[in-house]
Amino acid sequence: MAGAAREVLTLQLGHFAGFVGAHWWNQQDAALGRLAGAKEVPGIKELLPGELCPDVLYRAGQTLHGQETYTPRLIVMDLKGSLNSLKQEGGLYQDKHLDAAIAWQGKLTTHKEELQANNPFLQNLLSAEGVMSSDGVWRVQAFPNGKGLLPLAKAFSPTSKSLIPPEGSIKVWSDFLHVQLHPRSICIIQKYNHDGEAGRLEGFGQGESLLREPTYLEELEDRLHFYVEECDYLQGFQVLCDLHDGFSGLGAKATELLQDEYAGRGILTWGLLPGPYTLGEPQKNFYRLFNTALGLVNIAAHSSLICPLSLGGGLGLRPEPPVTFPHLRYDVVTAGASIPFPVAPGHSLPDTLAQFGGTTPWTPLSACGEQSGTRCFAQSVVLRGVDKTRQTSQLSPGTSPSSPLHACTSGEEVLAQYLQQLQPGVLSSSQLLLSPCRVVPPYPRFFSSRLNQQGLILDGTHNGTAVETIPVLTTLCSSSLLHRVLSRLAGELANLDLRRWASFLAAGVEQDDMEETIQELHNLAQCYKDGDSLIS
């Protein structure tokens, strides 16, 4: 099954984490070159680039009908009413005959809830891939020669209107989730509602108390044991967690549980914040500030690394201008990167990097504001989707290189040399991957008309062919910028009269907890003060 793969178990905690996760898993599925929920047994590995190892994130299984499956190694926690047409047990393993078999011989009363109709956009995607047969088995559409599964790009015309979701049609993350999930993946918290004004999971203390209740603690532990015990070489956990609401408290307890139960395993946490926001809802904004601060401090204490991600310009009460990308028109995006990495036809990687001069080629997405005047201590950079012919300048014999980058003999050397020039003395790790990022549906179609089918930037508009792949550059950086961000967050909390927000404190957070959080934010900020290095 997993062989020598070092498996990772992903946890998604919260509804915004569900949206980010849906994009993430759709991207993974597209990268594997196959359709969601089904494994091509004879030759899936032959369909994948050597640099991808799907068994790290996916698990093999089998339905009651003997159908091979390949589903994310994933636990999702969300609130009542958050799934729409997606069933909690997923769609791959259902068995109508077993559902009808009831051992009880006495009188029965059946209460049947009306099923939610599939989102039309998602239904169009699914209908191109296969059908659910009368016996409850999902049958995928295969290539005529029987080798592999039909690519989505072949199932639809790139300009098909059915690939564009109607305005306002996406209500919940499952409306565009293109991946089939295992029955053990989804855990619904019935105690709180996703919609409506009452029964909301608003505060850190509410979320923290959920995993003190045996019901939800045992549900999470059972799912963890199910996935972990079948792993051969578990390397750790990836946690996507909402910071702005009560899921920040649940995330704090969940990461504490992971650290206690699986000591020595890595825990990488992405703290997610929707943005931008407005000043029109003061209580919501104050709760967001409290939850974010408490979440960052407590989750950081139990994670190997935590990285906030948001399209908002800052973590504080005052809304900052949202993040912009020169070649995207977006309502939501889920990565911190150069999207797409701006390569033009006929230009090499050295040409592209040289045009940035002394500026960084990526846009920060951690709600940390302006980077100027800050220092990077260490960074990890990944560039994918630049083909071999573009990675070096391909100079003719006797031609003098126009820059040190143009003299490099490999793409890896180009990227490493560029990072060294950009930030001398910084400990940098860089990787160059050939496979681009696939952006076929249901990935949002929000790209500039200046991009061609491969995501390369043209001088003018192109002929309307939909973008199918893009080169992408991403980075994780430990920087003195965090000193400024964490200090400001602590300062804003210290200036608030917490007695005005008794409802937040009543949800399970004490005044002493907030004061301790402020002190811990100052302590964390000192770790990133310019002049101090995290590397010794």
Side-chain angles (χ1 to χ4, degrees):
M1 186 182 79
R6 301 191 63 207
E7 303 97 338
V8 171
L9 172 56
T10 300
L11 283 73
Q12 289 171 203
L13 311 176
H15 201 68
F16 189 61
F19 275 102
V20 176
H23 279 300
W24 161 261
W25 291 110
N26 288 344
Q27 280 292 294
Q28 302 312 306
D29 225 46
L32 299 187
R34 51 160 197 84
L35 300 180
K39 184 177 180 181
E40 171 61 13
V41 183
I44 186 170
K45 298 292 175 67
E46 286 83 356
L47 300 176
L48 304 176
E51 58 199 15
L52 298 178
C53 181
D55 292 334
V56 171
L57 297 170
Y58 284 75
R59 63 176 297 278
Q62 195 174 70
T63 70
L64 295 170
H65 299 275
Q67 182 191 20
E68 296 271 350
T69 63
Y70 204 51
T71 52
R73 192 177 293 108
L74 170 68
I75 298 173
V76 177
M77 298 189 77
D78 209 339
L79 306 180
K80 182 171 62 176
S82 62
L83 295 183
N84 204 352
S85 60
L86 177 63
K87 293 182 179 181
Q88 185 171 344
E89 66 274 13
L92 278 179
Y93 288 73
Q94 62 187 356
D95 189 313
K96 294 181 180 179
H97 302 301
L98 290 181
D99 291 342
I102 301 172
W104 173 252
Q105 300 299 315
K107 185 178 179 180
L108 294 175
T109 303
T110 302
H111 299 272
K112 190 169 183 179
E113 185 178 354
E114 185 177 348
L115 293 176
Q116 292 271 2
N118 263 351
N119 181 282
F121 169 63
L122 189 60
Q123 189 60 50
N124 286 333
L125 292 174
L126 294 175
S127 64
E129 302 162 6
V131 294
M132 185 70 75
S133 63
S134 58
D135 60 358
V137 179
W138 178 258
R139 311 286 187 191
V140 294
Q141 184 177 348
F143 280 125
N145 62 7
K147 295 181 179 179
L149 303 172
L150 186 65
L152 191 60
K154 301 295 184 184
F156 281 107
S157 162
T159 57
S160 172
K161 294 291 185 183
S162 60
L163 296 182
I164 305 173
E167 185 71 27
S169 66
I170 303 297
K171 303 294 185 185
V172 296
W173 53 265
S174 61
D175 282 342
F176 64 90
L177 178 69
H178 185 235
V179 179
Q180 298 285 352
L181 302 182
H182 189 272
R184 294 290 189 100
S185 279
I186 300 177
C187 175
I188 293 298
I189 299 169
Q190 299 291 341
K191 186 173 181 178
Y192 295 104
N193 298 318
H194 169 63
D195 287 318
E197 295 301 318
R200 304 299 295 272
L201 184 60
E202 296 179 304
F204 179 92
Q206 292 171 293
E208 196 176 37
S209 65
L210 279 171
L211 289 188
R212 294 194 181 105
E213 297 182 20
T215 300
Y216 296 113
L217 177 59
E218 289 172 9
E219 280 222 45
L220 177 57
E221 287 180 329
D222 286 348
R223 285 167 165 77
L224 284 171
H225 293 159
F226 171 77
Y227 285 113
V228 169
E229 288 170 8
E230 67 179 11
C231 292
D232 295 328
Y233 304 96
L234 178 72
Q235 64 173 304
F237 304 88
Q238 174 179 233
V239 182
L240 285 72
C241 180
D242 291 0
L243 287 183
H244 62 289
D245 56 18
F247 276 101
S248 63
L250 189 146
K253 293 301 289 183
T255 51
E256 181 182 7
L257 174 65
L258 295 177
Q259 187 183 54
D260 290 344
E261 293 288 323
Y262 305 100
R265 309 297 184 186
I267 303 173
L268 170 60
T269 303
W270 305 97
L272 307 174
L273 292 148
Y277 57 94
T278 65
L279 289 173
E281 302 173 288
Q283 178 170 317
K284 189 174 181 181
N285 287 335
F286 278 103
Y287 271 41
R288 179 187 54 78
L289 181 69
F290 295 149
N291 290 326
T292 299
L294 285 160
L296 281 174
V297 166
N298 286 276
I299 294 174
H302 306 301
S303 298
S304 310
L305 182 150
I306 180 171
C307 178
L309 287 178
S310 177
L311 289 176
L315 298 177
L317 284 175
R318 274 211 168 285
E320 303 285 343
V323 171
T324 59
F325 291 85
H327 301 290
L328 296 185
R329 304 180 300 273
Y330 68 84
D331 297 318
V332 175
V333 71
T334 62
S338 175
I339 308 176
F341 184 66
V343 181
H347 285 206
S348 66
L349 178 58
D351 296 332
T352 304
L353 291 173
Q355 73 185 5
F356 288 103
T359 62
T360 55
W362 52 79
T363 301
L365 279 181
S366 289
C368 290
E370 178 55 47
Q371 295 185 92
S372 60
T374 62
R375 185 165 71 89
C376 177
F377 303 131
Q379 64 186 353
S380 175
V381 177
V382 176
L383 174 60
R384 58 182 296 187
V386 178
D387 64 57
K388 279 282 188 185
T389 61
R390 297 179 184 275
Q391 291 182 7
T392 57
S393 59
Q394 305 289 325
L395 295 175
S396 302
T399 305
S400 299
S402 57
S403 75
L405 296 180
H406 290 81
C408 295
T409 57
S410 71
E412 289 80 4
E413 186 184 352
V414 171
L415 186 56
Q417 174 81 12
Y418 172 74
L419 294 174
Q420 181 59 32
Q421 289 179 3
L422 185 67
Q423 294 160 329
V426 172
L427 180 62
S428 295
S429 166
S430 59
Q431 278 190 298
L432 192 62
L433 305 180
L434 289 175
S435 56
C437 179
R438 297 192 68 213
V439 291
V440 296
Y443 196 87
R445 297 180 65 186
F446 51 17
F447 294 101
S448 162
S449 59
R450 289 187 59 201
L451 300 186
N452 69 8
Q453 196 170 8
Q454 289 74 42
L456 302 182
I457 298 171
L458 306 176
D459 291 334
T461 58
H462 65 95
N463 59 8
T465 304
V467 179
E468 293 187 2
T469 63
I470 57 172
V472 173
L473 183 142
T474 60
T475 179
L476 285 175
C477 179
S478 174
S479 160
S480 62
L481 177 60
L482 291 168
H483 174 265
R484 184 171 68 197
V485 172
L486 296 171
S487 296
R488 285 178 178 175
L489 186 58
E492 286 204 47
L493 281 174
N495 291 331
L496 294 176
D497 183 359
L498 296 179
R499 293 170 297 181
R500 291 183 54 199
W501 306 101
S503 59
F504 185 86
L505 298 177
V509 175
E510 303 287 339
Q511 177 89 21
D512 289 346
D513 295 328
M514 295 303 299
E515 292 173 0
E516 184 178 339
T517 296
I518 292 170
Q519 184 57 51
E520 284 301 315
L521 284 171
H522 282 302
N523 292 343
L524 277 173
Q526 283 301 113
C527 295
Y528 299 95
K529 188 174 181 180
D530 196 9
D532 297 333
S533 174
L534 295 181
I535 304 154
S536 57

